Amino acid sequence: DADPAKTMLGEAQWAWLEEELKKPAELRLLVSSIQVMSEGHGWEAWREFPLERQKLYDIIKRTGAEGLIVLSGDRHSAALYEREGEIGYPLFEATSSSLNLPASKWRAQSGETWVEIDPNRKGDMYFDANYGRIDIDWDNRSIEVSILSPEGEAVLGKSLALDALK
């Protein structure tokens, strides 16, 4: 909905976020309860509020916030996303959820199947129970983002060079 009266964040939240993004940091984790970059589904996501999502991208770019990674959930599945051309460096997002009600569980009950096409998604989605983990190697300036099964097995992952997030 492109109605400017419909918002994701209030004025005070936008002001707080902008001030936080201006502070020096080598790595920033921007956590959203819903997906920021996904284009492939019709449920709750920042794409449902395109003016707000663009405002987020503009604030990240305007503040010069480097080292930013987006973490999101509320999909009952997991996936990794990357988007070019919005903030001056590739924006990466990891979506992870859930441990208690994965999509595979209710898909099996309902018999529903679907294919979610998303130009920003890197690789397949993972529909079973999962959780996310981030490992930071400050000496090598690298970040490993992993989606893990409940048993701790890596099912999706991406290595990021901290210096590439500039």
Side-chain angles (χ1 to χ4, degrees), residues 9-19 55:
L9 301 179
E11 292 294 326
Q13 292 169 313
W14 280 118
W16 174 85
L17 178 60
E18 187 161 0
E19 289 307 310
K55 185 175 184 175

Side-chain angles (χ1 to χ4, degrees), residues 89-121:
Y89 58 88
L91 184 58
F92 177 80
E93 179 174 354
T95 299
S96 175
S97 61
S98 75
L99 284 170
N100 64 340
L101 187 58
S104 60
K105 187 174 184 177
W106 60 267
R107 280 176 64 184
Q109 293 170 348
S110 69
E112 291 182 46
T113 60
W114 68 87
V115 175
E116 186 174 306
I117 298 170
D118 194 312
N120 299 317
R121 191 177 69 239

Side-chain angles (χ1 to χ4, degrees), residues 58-132:
D58 292 346
I59 285 175
I60 295 167
K61 191 171 185 177
R62 182 174 61 247
T63 59
E66 297 178 341
L68 190 133
I69 295 173
V70 178
L71 305 174
S72 62
D74 195 26
R75 283 302 313 280
H76 305 272
S77 59
L80 306 175
Y81 300 83
E82 196 168 270
R83 187 170 179 141
E84 300 271 349
E86 292 294 342
I87 63 168
Y89 58 88
L91 184 58
F92 177 80
E93 179 174 354
T95 299
S96 175
S97 61
S98 75
L99 284 170
N100 64 340
L101 187 58
S104 60
K105 187 174 184 177
W106 60 267
R107 280 176 64 184
Q109 293 170 348
S110 69
E112 291 182 46
T113 60
W114 68 87
V115 175
E116 186 174 306
I117 298 170
D118 194 312
N120 299 317
R121 191 177 69 239
K122 301 299 177 189
D124 294 329
M125 293 184 74
Y126 184 75
F127 296 103
D128 291 325
N130 68 86
Y131 65 97

